[in-house]
Amino acid sequence: MLELLHIDKTYNPGTVNELCFFKDFNLKINTGEFVSVVGSNGSGKTSMLNIICGSMDIDGGRVVMNDADISKQKDFLRHRRIGRVFQDPSKGTCPEMTIMENMSLAENKGHPYNLSRGAAKMRRDYFRSLLAPLELGLEDKMDIKVGTLSGGQRQSLALLMSTMTPIDFLILDEHTAALDPKTAEKIMILTDKIVREKHLTTIMVTHNLRYAVEYGDRLLMMHEGRVIIDKSGEEKKKMEMGEILKKFDEISLEYGN
Amino acid sequence: MTLIISVFEQGFIYAIMALGIYITYKILDFPDLTVDGSFPMGAAITAVMINAGIPAVLTLPVAFLAGGFVGMLTGVIHVKLHVRDLLSGIIMMTALYTVNLRIAGKANLPFYNQPTVFDNDAVNGFFPEGMRDFQTVIILLVITAVVKLLLDWYMGTKSGFLLRAVGNNDTLVTSLGVDKGRVRIAGLSIANALVTLGGCLFAQQQRYFDVTMGTGTMVIGLASVIIGTSLFRKVTFMKVTTAVILGSVIYKACVAVAIRLGLAASDMKLVTAVLFLIILVLSMDKKRKVAS
């Protein structure tokens, strides 16, 4: 379970550009929930993820993960239980290292990075078996540097790497936004499969309203640092694209987006 | 012949230092100027220890560890105090100038008649009389090879993987639940340990310490790294570490040729700078040239 309690966040405090972003923001995400989050630019979606992951400090309030207050915990410590996939496919992998080396790094998450062999040959077949279902032919490119792969291939690998070890939460930060529609679709199907198989509590920020409606069991729409739509379960299933789009247009028009 | 031997001797010594710079510049993407201070620090420690009658072989681990400590300090200044990379190095380089003077006690400390790792009873007994001229270069070849193999081994460990990842994409390191700052500090520590070891060997080959001997270390090391990595980029079976060592030897050969052409030793810094500029421009990607 993940809770954001009474979060306050102000950008550039004390200057003319002061911008109050979150004021008494509250959100509770239950274990096993797959939450999709939509909202216009600057609505606070990515800021919320950054606050959860510890890449952004908060001015007030608490972040509580599985009943433990992690507000003061450093970002890298929080990531031991969080897997994260970014919009930019290059952020989730090491371009100068091979697929084999990248997967070996990812598999060791949670264990000490000591002086034992970095890439164990005996894991090779296992890694190949993970890559094969992607149907991208990556299993035959184990010794190729990741930097030479396409964006879609890298993002698939990043998604796989972020979920290789046992984690409690999966954070997807517009992870299909930089991909072409067909690849994005494939990544979404893969995401859904991994989330279901591993029962991961997932927060997915997306600009694609259709994905938000089709995937996940709870939908949030954010606007100006507030949650303006929050539907889950049966309520969400009954929701239609048109309804969300209408609401989206309302807030967009209002602010000339 | 002596000229060729001397090129290889100095090439190998600078290669060890260049391997350290390879770690900071190529792997960590951190232009570390600490090396201009840690290289002569290795020499200062060596001169003092040898003059005190301590067996020369002990200077190597002591210099290595001292360099590791100094590199760690640079890392702490950068990571924990949030000082920019270049400035962290400059601060340490400046501080080390005084430290080196304090270690040695004076600006120039020779040890002409003391035994060194290249010239002591044990190795003199091992090498036959006729091999005397090659003794230093052979010992240096062995030391350089050992350092290279150890570094290659380290880069293949889990810890080494992390080091490569942090310079490449530190977001991933955070995602893996590891403190990227600590990885950086460790990298700087290893790099400066190697540079200081280079300084230790340099002092023993030259048989003196001089407080100014570190000026330009960074440039020489970078030149070696860039020559090596760009000349042998196409040679896929060659490890980067080997390329850096060859780059260092080639660089020293260029300098020797410059001196042979009649340039004075006092012109060397200018020669170094010009050579470095030429190498830098030549090694730039065509793409980048078009872009600028």
Side-chain angles (χ1 to χ4, degrees):
Chain A
M1 192 170 64
L2 181 76
E3 287 170 289
L4 295 176
L5 300 167
H6 312 292
I7 300 287
D8 291 326
K9 173 72 191 174
T10 307
Y11 284 116
N12 306 317
T15 69
V16 281
N17 294 324
E18 184 172 298
L19 178 67
C20 180
F21 217 83
F22 290 114
K23 183 95 189 127
D24 195 22
F25 181 82
N26 290 285
L27 182 69
K28 185 172 158 186
I29 291 164
N30 295 314
T31 306
E33 250 180 349
F34 181 172
V35 186
S36 22
V37 184
V38 292
S40 50
N41 288 327
S43 60
K45 310 177 302 279
T46 297
S47 300
M48 180 181 77
L49 297 188
N50 284 335
I51 286 171
I52 294 170
C53 292
S55 2
M56 183 187 277
D57 290 329
I58 47 174
D59 303 329
R62 291 190 302 147
V63 182
V64 179
M65 193 185 276
N66 296 341
D67 296 323
D69 187 343
I70 59 162
S71 318
K72 294 274 179 291
Q73 201 175 46
K74 286 256 198 278
D75 55 354
F76 69 92
L77 288 174
R78 296 189 200 187
H79 277 93
R80 293 197 177 155
R81 288 152 64 193
I82 297 176
R84 191 172 184 184
V85 185
F86 297 87
Q87 178 178 356
D88 179 358
S90 63
K91 278 194 172 175
T93 49
C94 250
E96 287 290 320
M97 296 171 83
T98 64
I99 295 182
M100 178 73 193
E101 290 169 335
N102 268 283
M103 293 185 85
S104 305
L105 259 179
E107 199 198 20
N108 198 52
K109 178 172 173 174
H111 299 282
Y113 286 87
N114 52 24
L115 294 179
S116 59
R117 285 282 83 194
K121 282 209 178 69
M122 49 196 274
R123 303 302 289 162
R124 209 180 169 85
D125 289 333
Y126 169 65
F127 292 159
R128 286 175 55 112
S129 74
L130 291 179
L131 290 167
L134 302 180
E135 291 171 5
L136 292 167
L138 292 179
E139 65 276 15
D140 297 322
K141 297 182 176 170
M142 295 296 284
D143 298 311
I144 282 184
K145 281 187 181 168
V146 170
T148 62
L149 302 178
S150 70
Q153 289 174 321
R154 288 177 74 164
Q155 199 67 321
S156 311
L157 183 62
L159 181 60
L160 211 59
M161 281 168 61
S162 62
T163 52
M164 270 172 90
T165 49
I167 46 169
D168 296 340
F169 297 93
L170 179 62
I171 305 274
L172 305 167
D173 187 359
E174 296 181 35
H175 72 308
T176 58
L179 307 172
D180 65 76
K182 208 175 158 202
T183 314
E185 195 73 48
K186 279 180 92 172
I187 296 279
M188 242 353 275
I189 292 168
L190 176 68
T191 307
D192 195 52
K193 187 168 155 253
I194 291 176
V195 169
R196 298 294 163 212
E197 265 172 19
K198 303 197 181 226
H199 308 289
L200 295 170
T201 310
T202 304
I203 306 171
M204 174 179 78
V205 162
T206 178
H207 272 306
N208 191 319
L209 295 181
R210 189 169 62 78
Y211 289 164
V213 173
E214 278 178 23
Y215 296 95
D217 27 49
R218 184 172 166 193
L219 188 145
L220 298 180
M221 184 183 281
M222 289 183 70
H223 181 57
E224 293 207 307
R226 284 175 294 117
V227 174
I228 54 167
I229 294 182
D230 182 354
K231 308 256 168 158
S232 55
E234 284 305 310
E235 257 191 328
K236 177 178 180 278
K237 280 188 193 142
K238 274 186 265 164
M239 265 186 110
E240 281 169 15
M241 278 289 288
E243 197 182 331
I244 300 174
L245 208 55
K246 208 176 126 219
K247 190 81 184 170
F248 203 75
D249 280 342
E250 268 173 44
I251 59 172
S252 297
L253 277 177
E254 207 177 315
Y255 289 87
N257 258 334
Chain B
M1 193 63 202
T2 22
L3 185 72
I4 295 172
I5 294 175
S6 139
V7 162
F8 274 97
E9 282 179 5
Q10 297 219 353
F12 288 146
I13 291 172
Y14 278 110
I16 294 174
M17 175 273 280
L19 286 174
I21 289 182
Y22 164 70
I23 294 178
T24 51
Y25 181 73
K26 279 276 179 184
I27 297 183
L28 288 181
D29 197 15
F30 187 115
D32 180 26
L33 271 168
T34 315
V35 296
D36 276 33
S38 56
F39 187 78
M41 185 181 78
I45 292 170
T46 306
V48 169
M49 282 178 73
I50 287 182
N51 273 331
I54 297 166
V57 70
L58 286 180
T59 60
L60 286 96
V62 173
F64 188 83
L65 291 177
F69 177 70
V70 165
M72 192 189 76
L73 288 183
T74 308
V76 169
I77 291 174
H78 173 61
V79 172
K80 301 289 178 197
L81 307 180
H82 308 287
V83 177
R84 274 172 51 188
D85 48 9
L86 208 54
L87 289 179
S88 313
I90 290 174
I91 289 169
M92 281 304 291
M93 175 187 83
T94 310
L96 283 175
Y97 187 87
T98 304
V99 171
N100 292 341
L101 276 175
R102 286 282 174 148
I103 293 173
K106 49 187 173 181
N108 189 297
L109 186 61
F111 46 100
Y112 294 122
N113 300 315
Q114 255 68 297
T116 66
V117 280
F118 309 119
D119 178 13
N120 58 51
D121 292 344
V123 291
N124 288 346
F126 179 77
F127 284 94
E129 199 61 46
M131 293 280 283
R132 209 50 90 221
D133 287 344
F134 302 99
Q135 198 166 310
T136 305
V137 78
I138 292 170
I139 294 169
L140 275 168
L141 177 66
V142 172
I143 296 176
T144 309
V146 169
V147 169
K148 177 207 130 63
L149 291 173
L150 276 175
L151 192 59
D152 285 345
W153 165 82
Y154 175 71
M155 285 303 166
T157 64
K158 292 199 169 86
S159 174
F161 271 31
L162 216 48
L163 188 64
R164 287 160 63 192
V166 85
N168 215 204
N169 176 10
D170 59 5
T171 311
L172 178 68
V173 175
T174 305
S175 298
L176 292 172
V178 177
D179 184 354
K180 61 186 180 198
R182 280 175 69 170
V183 180
R184 280 228 164 74
I185 294 173
L188 283 165
S189 188
I190 297 170
N192 277 287
L194 290 174
V195 171
T196 311
L197 182 64
C200 162
L201 293 168
F202 185 72
Q204 301 194 48
Q205 191 239 11
Q206 300 282 323
R207 291 181 179 262
Y208 71 88
F209 154 78
D210 189 278
V211 74
T212 62
M213 76 202 311
T215 318
T217 304
M218 163 87 166
V219 174
I220 296 171
L222 270 186
S224 307
V225 170
I226 293 169
I227 293 176
T229 51
S230 33
L231 267 188
F232 302 107
R233 186 167 21 192
K234 297 266 156 55
V235 192
T236 43
F237 61 85
M238 188 189 282
K239 283 239 162 75
V240 190
T241 45
T242 315
V244 169
I245 293 170
L246 291 178
S248 170
V249 174
I250 293 168
Y251 174 80
K252 274 291 151 192
C254 294
V255 172
V257 168
I259 292 180
R260 249 328 232 283
L261 292 175
L263 287 162
S266 54
D267 297 335
M268 273 340 292
K269 296 295 177 211
L270 182 61
V271 172
T272 304
V274 172
L275 257 179
F276 182 55
L277 181 64
I278 294 170
I279 293 159
L280 209 55
V281 172
L282 286 182
S283 70
M284 272 182 207
D285 295 335
K286 283 206 180 92
K287 256 189 257 162
R288 268 164 69 192
K289 262 192 197 162
V290 172
S292 64

Short mmCIF file of all heavy atoms in Angstrom, two decimals, chain A residues 10 20 25 34 44 73 77 84 101 117 119 123 126 135 137 164 168 179 182 189 193 201 208 211 213 215 236 256:
data_model
loop_
_atom_site.label_atom_id
_atom_site.label_comp_id
_atom_site.label_asym_id
_atom_site.label_seq_id
_atom_site.Cartn_x
_atom_site.Cartn_y
_atom_site.Cartn_z
N THR A 10 5.85 23.54 -3.13
CA THR A 10 5.87 24.83 -3.80
C THR A 10 7.16 24.95 -4.59
O THR A 10 8.23 24.64 -4.08
CB THR A 10 5.79 25.97 -2.77
OG1 THR A 10 4.67 25.73 -1.93
CG2 THR A 10 5.63 27.31 -3.44
N CYS A 20 2.62 27.37 -6.26
CA CYS A 20 2.15 26.36 -5.31
C CYS A 20 1.60 25.20 -6.10
O CYS A 20 0.67 25.36 -6.89
CB CYS A 20 1.08 26.94 -4.40
SG CYS A 20 0.49 25.73 -3.23
N PHE A 25 -2.29 17.48 -0.69
CA PHE A 25 -2.60 16.44 -1.67
C PHE A 25 -2.62 15.08 -0.98
O PHE A 25 -1.70 14.74 -0.24
CB PHE A 25 -1.54 16.46 -2.78
CG PHE A 25 -1.76 15.45 -3.85
CD1 PHE A 25 -2.65 15.69 -4.88
CD2 PHE A 25 -1.07 14.24 -3.83
CE1 PHE A 25 -2.85 14.74 -5.88
CE2 PHE A 25 -1.26 13.29 -4.82
CZ PHE A 25 -2.16 13.56 -5.85
N PHE A 34 -3.72 -1.45 -10.18
CA PHE A 34 -3.04 -0.95 -11.37
C PHE A 34 -3.74 0.39 -11.69
O PHE A 34 -4.86 0.40 -12.18
CB PHE A 34 -3.19 -1.96 -12.51
CG PHE A 34 -2.50 -1.58 -13.81
CD1 PHE A 34 -2.44 -2.50 -14.85
CD2 PHE A 34 -1.92 -0.32 -14.00
CE1 PHE A 34 -1.81 -2.18 -16.05
CE2 PHE A 34 -1.31 0.01 -15.20
CZ PHE A 34 -1.26 -0.92 -16.21
N GLY A 44 0.76 17.83 -12.71
CA GLY A 44 1.38 17.28 -11.50
C GLY A 44 1.57 15.77 -11.52
O GLY A 44 1.97 15.18 -10.53
N GLN A 73 13.48 9.11 3.31
CA GLN A 73 14.38 8.10 2.74
C GLN A 73 14.96 8.57 1.40
O GLN A 73 14.25 9.17 0.60
CB GLN A 73 13.60 6.81 2.55
CG GLN A 73 14.48 5.58 2.47
CD GLN A 73 13.64 4.32 2.40
OE1 GLN A 73 12.67 4.24 1.65
NE2 GLN A 73 14.00 3.33 3.19
N LEU A 77 17.40 4.29 -1.99
CA LEU A 77 16.89 3.28 -1.05
C LEU A 77 15.45 2.93 -1.38
O LEU A 77 15.04 1.77 -1.32
CB LEU A 77 16.98 3.81 0.38
CG LEU A 77 18.40 3.89 0.94
CD1 LEU A 77 18.40 4.56 2.31
CD2 LEU A 77 19.01 2.49 1.06
N ARG A 84 11.11 1.32 -12.02
CA ARG A 84 10.64 2.52 -12.70
C ARG A 84 11.03 2.48 -14.17
O ARG A 84 12.16 2.15 -14.51
CB ARG A 84 11.26 3.75 -12.03
CG ARG A 84 10.64 5.05 -12.49
CD ARG A 84 11.17 6.19 -11.65
NE ARG A 84 10.50 7.44 -12.01
CZ ARG A 84 10.80 8.62 -11.51
NH1 ARG A 84 11.76 8.74 -10.62
NH2 ARG A 84 10.15 9.70 -11.89
N GLU A 101 25.02 -7.78 -20.29
CA GLU A 101 25.54 -7.04 -19.13
C GLU A 101 24.44 -6.24 -18.44
O GLU A 101 24.36 -6.17 -17.21
CB GLU A 101 26.69 -6.11 -19.57
CG GLU A 101 27.94 -6.86 -19.96
CD GLU A 101 29.00 -6.00 -20.65
OE1 GLU A 101 28.63 -4.97 -21.25
OE2 GLU A 101 30.18 -6.34 -20.58
N ARG A 117 31.84 -12.22 -10.45
CA ARG A 117 31.68 -11.99 -11.90
C ARG A 117 30.40 -11.20 -12.20
O ARG A 117 29.34 -11.51 -11.68
CB ARG A 117 31.61 -13.33 -12.64
CG ARG A 117 32.93 -14.07 -12.81
CD ARG A 117 33.78 -13.50 -13.92
NE ARG A 117 34.54 -12.34 -13.44
CZ ARG A 117 35.16 -11.48 -14.23
NH1 ARG A 117 35.11 -11.60 -15.52
NH2 ARG A 117 35.83 -10.48 -13.74
N ALA A 119 28.75 -10.80 -15.19
CA ALA A 119 27.79 -11.49 -16.04
C ALA A 119 28.08 -12.99 -15.99
O ALA A 119 29.10 -13.44 -16.47
CB ALA A 119 27.90 -10.99 -17.47
N ARG A 123 23.55 -17.79 -16.60
CA ARG A 123 22.25 -17.11 -16.62
C ARG A 123 21.79 -16.79 -18.04
O ARG A 123 20.69 -16.34 -18.25
CB ARG A 123 22.33 -15.79 -15.82
CG ARG A 123 22.77 -15.95 -14.41
CD ARG A 123 21.87 -16.87 -13.63
NE ARG A 123 20.56 -16.28 -13.35
CZ ARG A 123 19.50 -16.98 -13.01
NH1 ARG A 123 19.58 -18.29 -12.93
NH2 ARG A 123 18.35 -16.38 -12.76
N TYR A 126 18.62 -18.32 -19.29
CA TYR A 126 17.48 -17.76 -18.57
C TYR A 126 17.11 -16.39 -19.14
O TYR A 126 15.94 -16.10 -19.41
CB TYR A 126 17.82 -17.67 -17.08
CG TYR A 126 16.83 -16.87 -16.28
CD1 TYR A 126 15.51 -17.30 -16.12
CD2 TYR A 126 17.20 -15.66 -15.68
CE1 TYR A 126 14.60 -16.56 -15.40
CE2 TYR A 126 16.29 -14.91 -14.95
CZ TYR A 126 15.00 -15.37 -14.82
OH TYR A 126 14.09 -14.62 -14.09
N GLU A 135 9.45 -11.19 -28.81
CA GLU A 135 9.43 -11.36 -30.28
C GLU A 135 10.11 -10.20 -31.01
O GLU A 135 9.64 -9.70 -32.02
CB GLU A 135 8.00 -11.55 -30.78
CG GLU A 135 7.43 -12.88 -30.32
CD GLU A 135 5.94 -13.02 -30.62
OE1 GLU A 135 5.40 -12.11 -31.26
OE2 GLU A 135 5.36 -14.02 -30.19
N GLY A 137 13.57 -10.44 -31.33
CA GLY A 137 14.84 -11.03 -31.74
C GLY A 137 16.00 -10.65 -30.83
O GLY A 137 17.15 -10.89 -31.16
N MET A 164 12.60 -7.51 -13.22
CA MET A 164 13.27 -8.81 -13.10
C MET A 164 13.37 -9.29 -11.67
O MET A 164 13.37 -10.49 -11.39
CB MET A 164 14.68 -8.73 -13.69
CG MET A 164 14.74 -9.06 -15.16
SD MET A 164 16.38 -8.71 -15.79
CE MET A 164 17.18 -10.26 -15.51
N ASP A 168 7.85 -4.17 -5.07
CA ASP A 168 6.48 -3.96 -4.58
C ASP A 168 5.70 -3.04 -5.50
O ASP A 168 4.50 -3.20 -5.66
CB ASP A 168 6.52 -3.33 -3.18
CG ASP A 168 7.16 -4.27 -2.17
OD1 ASP A 168 7.19 -5.48 -2.46
OD2 ASP A 168 7.63 -3.80 -1.13
N LEU A 179 7.37 6.34 -28.29
CA LEU A 179 7.42 5.25 -29.25
C LEU A 179 6.35 5.42 -30.33
O LEU A 179 5.35 6.11 -30.13
CB LEU A 179 7.17 3.92 -28.52
CG LEU A 179 8.07 3.66 -27.31
CD1 LEU A 179 7.62 2.43 -26.56
CD2 LEU A 179 9.53 3.52 -27.73
N LYS A 182 2.51 1.58 -33.04
CA LYS A 182 2.51 0.13 -33.05
C LYS A 182 3.38 -0.43 -31.93
O LYS A 182 2.97 -1.35 -31.21
CB LYS A 182 3.01 -0.36 -34.41
CG LYS A 182 2.44 -1.70 -34.78
CD LYS A 182 2.85 -2.12 -36.17
CE LYS A 182 2.73 -3.63 -36.28
NZ LYS A 182 3.55 -4.17 -37.34
N ILE A 189 0.81 -3.99 -24.07
CA ILE A 189 0.36 -5.37 -23.86
C ILE A 189 1.35 -6.12 -22.96
O ILE A 189 0.96 -6.81 -22.03
CB ILE A 189 0.18 -6.09 -25.23
CG1 ILE A 189 -0.99 -5.46 -25.99
CG2 ILE A 189 -0.04 -7.59 -25.05
CD1 ILE A 189 -1.09 -5.85 -27.44
N LYS A 193 0.75 -7.67 -19.19
CA LYS A 193 1.07 -9.07 -18.93
C LYS A 193 1.97 -9.18 -17.69
O LYS A 193 1.71 -9.99 -16.79
CB LYS A 193 1.78 -9.64 -20.16
CG LYS A 193 2.01 -11.12 -20.11
CD LYS A 193 2.45 -11.65 -21.48
CE LYS A 193 3.25 -12.91 -21.35
NZ LYS A 193 4.67 -12.76 -21.60
N THR A 201 1.81 -3.70 -7.81
CA THR A 201 1.07 -2.46 -7.59
C THR A 201 1.68 -1.44 -8.55
O THR A 201 2.87 -1.18 -8.48
CB THR A 201 1.23 -1.98 -6.14
OG1 THR A 201 0.95 -3.07 -5.28
CG2 THR A 201 0.32 -0.83 -5.85
N ASN A 208 -2.03 8.89 -23.21
CA ASN A 208 -2.94 8.19 -24.09
C ASN A 208 -4.21 7.80 -23.32
O ASN A 208 -4.20 6.88 -22.50
CB ASN A 208 -2.24 6.94 -24.63
CG ASN A 208 -3.01 6.29 -25.75
OD1 ASN A 208 -4.23 6.20 -25.68
ND2 ASN A 208 -2.30 5.85 -26.77
N TYR A 211 -5.35 4.11 -23.49
CA TYR A 211 -4.64 3.18 -22.62
C TYR A 211 -5.16 3.29 -21.19
O TYR A 211 -5.34 2.29 -20.50
CB TYR A 211 -3.12 3.47 -22.61
CG TYR A 211 -2.42 3.13 -23.89
CD1 TYR A 211 -1.15 3.64 -24.15
CD2 TYR A 211 -2.99 2.28 -24.82
CE1 TYR A 211 -0.48 3.34 -25.32
CE2 TYR A 211 -2.33 1.97 -25.99
CZ TYR A 211 -1.08 2.51 -26.24
OH TYR A 211 -0.42 2.21 -27.39
N VAL A 213 -8.07 4.08 -20.21
CA VAL A 213 -9.39 3.47 -20.07
C VAL A 213 -9.30 1.95 -20.18
O VAL A 213 -9.90 1.21 -19.40
CB VAL A 213 -10.36 4.02 -21.15
CG1 VAL A 213 -11.68 3.28 -21.12
CG2 VAL A 213 -10.58 5.51 -20.92
N TYR A 215 -6.58 -0.16 -19.88
CA TYR A 215 -5.72 -0.89 -18.95
C TYR A 215 -5.90 -0.36 -17.54
O TYR A 215 -6.32 0.77 -17.32
CB TYR A 215 -4.26 -0.76 -19.36
CG TYR A 215 -3.96 -1.39 -20.70
CD1 TYR A 215 -3.96 -0.61 -21.86
CD2 TYR A 215 -3.72 -2.75 -20.80
CE1 TYR A 215 -3.70 -1.18 -23.08
CE2 TYR A 215 -3.45 -3.34 -22.03
CZ TYR A 215 -3.44 -2.55 -23.18
OH TYR A 215 -3.19 -3.12 -24.37
N LYS A 236 -15.12 2.24 -13.09
CA LYS A 236 -14.18 2.51 -14.17
C LYS A 236 -14.58 1.77 -15.43
O LYS A 236 -14.53 2.31 -16.53
CB LYS A 236 -12.77 2.11 -13.77
CG LYS A 236 -11.78 2.31 -14.90
CD LYS A 236 -10.37 1.97 -14.53
CE LYS A 236 -9.44 2.19 -15.70
NZ LYS A 236 -9.39 1.12 -16.67
N GLY A 256 -6.33 26.88 -22.13
CA GLY A 256 -5.78 27.12 -23.45
C GLY A 256 -4.69 26.16 -23.88
O GLY A 256 -3.77 26.53 -24.58
#
